[in-house]
Structure formats: structure tokens, C-alpha cells
Amino acid sequence: MAAALLFLIALSACSQGTAETSVAAPRGQYVALSGDYKASSNTARAITGAMIIQRGGVTFSNGVILYTRTLTPRHGGDLIAKNGDSYAAAVVGPGSLSIELRRITEQVTPAGVIGLCGAERPQYVALAYDERATTVTMLVFSGDEPPGPEAVSSRICARFGYAAPEGARTREGVVL
């Protein structure tokens, strides 16, 4: 009976540990970005407010909810469009940025609130951050194809900046 209990505990720990393994992290490991971030850019303060990043989506204090599916991680130096800029150039950051690209499966907007791309439906969101994730820049894309070096119909429709409210975030937790 004790062996069965230990097996269930070990199985539970394994399944919990694999839930957040989908975003580029330093040294080739993948850990999903998550947590609370306060609006730091004028655009984010005016349109979305603070955001909460979770494995299945992003929630904003203005009531907008994005349900998302994480795609293959990108890097700051990767191009976002054919003959276009890199993610790093679009967010004005270093080429070493980690980029969590997500497909937006649904955007929920409360009555009277404008969506992230205005009247257009957002299709993809890229969360750009450095190793410590003290700040996150969110690029929102419209167009049916994902941003990438061969994309011709994907375009940035919004850019928002956020900051960790209580110190830097790392894979081990928050550093104060």
C-alpha cells in the first residue's frame, strides 16, 4: 500500500512538472512564461492595463481574455516577415531575446471594450523577454499566417510593454 502511495505521489509530481515546458529559456530548455505583469508602456496603460500570463492564455485588467496555444519558440534574431524586421528590431531589444509565440484561438472582449487589434481579429501574439523576464513586450499580429521568415500576410497591429511588479522572474521564481 505504501509503495502504491509513493507511486501516485511520484506520478503526480511528474505530470505537474511537464505542464510548463513550451517556451525558449536559456541553455535550450523550454519553460512557459507565466505570472502577473503591470502595464509599463503608455499603450498598455491606456488599452489593456496589467496582464496575467498563464499556460492557456492571457488575461488583461480591462477584461479582455486571449485563449492561446503555444507554438514553436522563436528567438530575437528571427524574422517576423519575409524581407522584414526581426523580433528584436520590432521590440527594440537584443537578439538574445526569448520569444514565446502563441496562436490566439479566441479573443473575448467585454461590452464597450475594444480588442487588441481594434476592429481586426488578432491571430498571433509574441511575448518577447530576456533571461530574467523583468520586462515583457507583447507584439500582436493580424493575418492568417504565423509570423516568420516566409510570412507575407502577417502584420503587427499592436505593441504593449509590461514589467514584473516585484522584481525579476526566473525559472526558479521571483528574485527580489
Side-chain angles (χ1 to χ4, degrees), residues 30-62:
Y30 296 104
V31 178
L33 184 65
S34 65
D36 299 325
Y37 288 85
K38 63 182 178 179
S40 64
S41 69
N42 290 335
T43 309
R45 282 191 291 274
I47 296 175
T48 66
M51 78 171 169
I52 301 171
I53 303 170
Q54 298 173 327
R55 187 174 63 100
V58 182
T59 305
F60 301 94
S61 62
N62 72 348

Side-chain angles (χ1 to χ4, degrees), residues 142-155:
S142 61
D144 290 333
E145 65 184 335
E150 299 302 318
V152 293
S153 69
S154 181
R155 69 173 191 80

Side-chain angles (χ1 to χ4, degrees), residues 80-81 85-87 89-91 117 120 124 138-143 147 153-160:
I80 57 176
D85 287 333
S86 66
Y87 287 99
V91 302
C117 284
E120 291 184 80
Y124 296 89
M138 182 176 68
L139 300 174
V140 185
F141 295 86
S142 61
S153 69
S154 181
R155 69 173 191 80
I156 297 173
C157 61
R159 183 173 81 188
F160 304 99

